[in-house]
Amino acid sequence: MPDKFITLTPELHSYVVEHGARQDEVLRRLAAETEELGDIAIMQIAPEQGAFMTLLVRAMGVRRALELGTFTGYSAICIARGLAEDGTLVTCDLNGEWAQVAKRYFDEAGVADRVDLRLGPALETIRELPADEPFDFAFIDADKTEYPDYYEECLRLLRPGGLIMVDNVLRSGQVLDAGNDDPRTLATREVNDRAIADERVDVAMLGVADGITLALKR
Ligand code: DHB
Ligand code: MG
């Protein structure tokens, strides 16, 4: 089989964003404000990933969603907008300043009533969530060193047929760099190795943005 992938140029990526993501004025303003935070703005999800998340959440009829790593709220808005009528999103982050930005934009996007933002370490927050109120969808982002634990906790909290999306599974290519022993890279590799071998889930890894894995609980 010939190699069937495309290495995007910045121009081709812009084309993807222009034709593959309807960013409204609120998301554009949020992205612009996040950009002003400097280098950490890279933690915001890509617009085409956001469009994919809204579509996926809507297609699945998600009523209960979970997010680890709110940052300034772009991905939470994308999830919340895809939720069913009476749906809710629980999202967690450690950083109170980012959370303030996120909350402002939840209001502006008209999703504040469906979003429950929990301040604190994501792992502690989700360990306290009961499994008898299962989630339909979970987005794993936040602290990369916790990825293996996030993955296990999310599987526990998901209903059968529920979907996990894991962000940054390629880590800008660092997963392949044998010399890279950054704890965040090690933990990401561990979750990637675990997911593909995990009989509890169906798996697809996609080369979108910084790489995402979809794991559907059987
Ligand atoms: C980083 C974290 C993210 O979640 C992301 O999407 C991109 C970069 C980081 O920590 O550098
Ligand atoms: Mg990320």
Side-chain angles (χ1 to χ4, degrees), residues 55-211:
L55 189 150
L56 206 55
V57 165
R58 185 162 295 145
M60 289 180 69
V62 171
R63 293 187 58 243
R64 280 178 56 77
L66 176 63
E67 173 179 69
L68 316 186
T70 316
F71 190 41
T72 52
Y74 192 107
S75 49
I77 291 172
C78 293
I79 295 168
R81 283 178 165 171
L83 290 171
E85 193 74 15
D86 53 350
T88 54
L89 166 68
V90 175
T91 182
C92 5
D93 208 287
L94 258 182
N95 187 305
E97 286 172 30
W98 300 342
Q100 286 312 311
V101 178
K103 281 188 171 170
R104 228 179 336 110
Y105 281 91
F106 295 163
D107 278 330
E108 294 203 36
V111 298
D113 58 335
R114 323 175 179 184
V115 181
D116 174 2
L117 199 162
R118 313 269 182 101
L119 262 191
L123 196 55
E124 284 180 24
T125 300
I126 62 174
R127 279 194 169 138
E128 282 161 18
L129 293 171
D132 63 356
E133 290 174 43
F135 288 91
D136 309 300
F137 178 85
F139 180 52
I140 297 181
D141 206 2
D143 180 353
K144 309 313 170 213
T145 64
E146 308 273 31
Y147 264 25
D149 287 336
Y150 290 165
Y151 178 79
E152 289 303 324
E153 284 299 315
C154 285
L155 263 186
R156 176 181 72 84
L157 291 167
L158 225 57
R159 68 164 165 88
L163 186 77
I164 295 176
M165 178 186 285
V166 189
D167 199 31
N168 307 109
V169 295
L170 299 179
R171 284 192 60 77
S172 313
Q174 290 173 22
V175 286
L176 264 191
D177 175 2
N180 187 307
D181 61 357
D182 183 313
R184 296 169 299 182
T185 305
L186 299 182
T188 304
R189 283 193 198 114
E190 185 180 332
V191 111
N192 291 345
D193 293 344
R194 190 182 298 182
I196 194 64
D198 190 349
E199 296 290 339
R200 298 171 296 175
V201 295
D202 294 314
V203 178
M205 184 187 279
L206 303 176
V208 173
D210 193 25

